[in-house]
Amino acid sequence: MFIDKREEILIKTRRNIFGQNVGGNPSLFSGNGLDFKELREYDVGDDVRKINWKVTAKAGRPFVNLFNEERELNIVVAFMVSGSIYFGTRRFKQELMAEILALLSYSTLKNDDRLSTLFFSDREEFFMPPTKKMGSLHITLEKALGLDPLEKVSDFNALVHYVNERIKRRSLIFVVSDFYGDVDLSLLNKHEVFGIMVRDRFEEEPKLFGEMDLIDPTTMHNEAFMLSPKIMQSYRKALEAHDEKLFEHFAQHRIKHTKIYTDEEPFIKLSSLFRH
């Protein structure tokens, strides 16, 4: 069943990437240099993709961005595995995360950059070493859709230790997760880190009242609860406090981030993230 879903995501990914990007660089991001150096006036033969449109508009003549060095990007997509991703009202968070993985991976490979893919819970679940082969996307997408996340929990401290031990080259690291629990990515500071938060709206505004049997997907522990409006309000406040602390952490350590709900199109949110 997930094979059909894999092909559906791949077709949708190609359509989004090529439909929204013109020219010879079908990608969400460009791999030409990470370190900005200076501006100079456009000269015949310069790459038009390097035109700084804001400065050009103000000056009335074209300017291009120069970088300290031209180099390919090393991109790591970290797919965080936890029982909590096995949930969704419109579609499971796991499926949305798979589509995000496909978009980031396809864009990387079409841009001829190096892609590593990591599935991580509190340990390595699967690792695809750096590659430029498009066939790797079929393998990792199948893994993303077919894995069983139940009874697993995301450990971000273990992730940071693993990445610092395994990924020696400075990289763009995309952490794709619902970001529950304790999150500290500050020690990934030699890399450029992006947080891609995946949520279902029902998690943040649950409509549950009365006696309910609830299952913790990270432990599969089942327990009956009597849910009152007061309890649900306390739950929402606790989640808001958790997320506020998380966003402060992102801001403090210059971690670019976005939140994508299961009823949204991830390409739109990711494009907006990279434009800013």
Side-chain angles (χ1 to χ4, degrees):
M1 192 72 178
F2 67 84
I3 297 295
D4 294 336
K5 180 57 67 174
R6 183 188 68 184
E7 294 304 319
E8 178 185 324
I9 289 176
L10 285 172
I11 291 169
K12 185 179 179 183
T13 296
R14 295 188 192 103
R15 184 174 66 243
N16 276 328
I17 295 294
F18 281 95
Q20 299 296 328
N21 291 273
V22 294
N25 184 38
S27 174
L28 284 166
F29 36 81
S30 172
N32 289 331
L34 287 177
D35 301 318
F36 176 78
K37 183 179 180 181
E38 61 184 356
L39 289 166
R40 70 160 167 78
E41 285 198 58
Y42 176 85
D43 197 7
V44 176
D46 284 340
D47 189 343
V48 295
R49 291 174 295 177
K50 295 179 183 176
I51 293 177
N52 187 313
W53 293 107
K54 287 185 178 180
V55 174
T56 295
K58 290 180 179 179
R61 58 188 189 279
F63 279 79
V64 295
N65 295 319
L66 295 182
F67 299 92
N68 285 321
E69 59 178 309
E70 297 291 317
R71 61 184 175 185
E72 65 184 10
L73 297 178
N74 193 56
I75 291 175
V76 180
V77 180
F79 185 111
M80 298 301 292
V81 180
S82 171
S84 59
I85 69 174
Y86 193 75
F87 177 81
T89 51
R90 295 288 293 273
R91 56 173 165 168
F92 276 18
K93 290 186 284 181
Q94 181 176 347
E95 181 185 326
L96 174 56
M97 290 170 66
E99 186 173 342
I100 292 168
L101 179 147
L103 283 164
L104 294 172
S105 300
Y106 191 79
S107 188
T108 299
L109 296 168
K110 290 301 292 183
N111 208 42
D112 200 33
D113 292 319
R114 291 160 53 90
L115 172 68
S116 302
T117 310
L118 170 65
F119 292 83
F120 197 90
S121 54
D122 55 353
R123 60 180 65 87
E124 177 194 313
E125 299 286 339
F126 178 82
F127 180 71
M128 175 69 73
T131 182
K132 292 186 176 185
K133 295 181 179 180
M134 188 60 73
S136 65
L137 173 53
H138 294 261
I139 297 171
T140 55
L141 184 53
E142 182 174 331
K143 182 72 176 177
L145 291 168
L147 63 82
D148 181 4
L150 295 175
E151 296 187 87
K152 297 183 186 297
V153 62
S154 295
D155 185 330
F156 292 92
N157 288 329
L159 170 71
V160 169
H161 179 75
Y162 177 94
V163 169
N164 283 334
E165 287 292 316
R166 188 76 181 259
I167 310 297
K168 299 302 183 182
R169 184 179 176 187
R170 185 171 185 267
S171 305
L172 272 66
I173 299 181
F174 296 90
V175 182
V176 186
S177 172
D178 51 15
F179 286 100
Y180 289 125
D182 295 326
V183 179
D184 186 350
L185 304 177
S186 59
L187 293 181
L188 293 177
N189 52 6
K190 80 171 184 178
H191 304 286
E192 185 170 357
V193 182
F194 295 79
I196 313 295
M197 176 186 281
V198 172
R199 292 281 178 87
D200 189 277
R201 296 186 192 276
F202 190 84
E203 294 176 293
E204 299 181 359
E205 289 292 336
K207 304 296 190 295
L208 294 175
F209 300 100
E211 188 173 349
M212 297 280 176
D213 282 331
L214 301 179
I215 300 175
D216 183 343
T218 63
T219 63
M220 298 307 291
H221 176 69
N222 182 29
E223 190 169 343
F225 291 89
M226 180 60 72
L227 301 178
S228 66
K230 185 177 181 180
I231 290 175
M232 298 313 297
Q233 183 180 18
S234 297
Y235 163 82
R236 285 191 290 269
K237 285 185 176 180
L239 182 57
E240 288 171 3
H242 170 277
D243 287 354
E244 183 176 344
K245 180 181 177 182
L246 176 66
F247 295 143
E248 287 175 356
H249 172 70
F250 285 163
Q252 180 182 357
H253 298 285
R254 298 182 180 180
I255 297 172
K256 302 178 183 69
H257 63 278
T258 188
K259 181 194 290 188
I260 308 176
Y261 290 103
T262 54
D263 62 352
E264 293 184 312
E265 287 297 325
F267 179 80
I268 296 172
K269 285 290 189 72
L270 292 175
S271 298
S272 178
L273 175 66
F274 296 128
R275 280 199 303 269
H276 290 89

